Amino acid sequence: MIKLGSVLGVLLLAATIIYVEWKNSKESKVRWIAGGITAISAVIGILLLFNPRLPGPSALVKLLFGGVDKVMK
């Protein structure tokens, strides 16, 4: 029951963020990018509710952009 409430909370929050971004943004490309990033984050958040041992979003960002940090130094 607690996980169901948490899932609904994450979905409600993500839908609210997507709605506000969609309403306030003028460019279509920005709308789709913001909506896509928010949707992916919501899915990752829901997955982490059911399996907390999975790596979080920060691990994915580090995996994608970890090499850039070494190049910048």
Side-chain angles (χ1 to χ4, degrees), residues 40 44 55-65:
I40 290 170
I44 291 172
S58 60
L60 178 63
V61 170
K62 186 176 180 182
L63 177 69
L64 291 175
F65 300 109

Side-chain angles (χ1 to χ4, degrees), residues 5-23:
S6 297
V7 169
L8 289 176
V10 168
L11 289 175
L12 181 65
L13 184 63
T16 303
I17 291 171
I18 290 172
Y19 173 74
V20 170
E21 286 291 331
W22 199 272
K23 186 177 177 185

Side-chain angles (χ1 to χ4, degrees), residues 6 10 18 23 26 31 36 47 54-56 67 72-73:
S6 297
V10 168
I18 290 172
K23 186 177 177 185
K26 303 281 186 222
R31 289 178 176 177
L47 287 173
L54 289 174
M72 298 284 285
K73 288 184 180 180

Side-chain angles (χ1 to χ4, degrees), residues 21-52:
E21 286 291 331
W22 199 272
K23 186 177 177 185
N24 293 333
S25 181
K26 303 281 186 222
E27 295 183 34
S28 177
K29 185 184 272 188
V30 174
R31 289 178 176 177
W32 285 106
I33 291 171
I37 290 173
T38 305
I40 290 170
S41 299
V43 168
I44 291 172
I46 291 170
L47 287 173
L48 286 172
L49 282 172
F50 290 104
N51 190 356

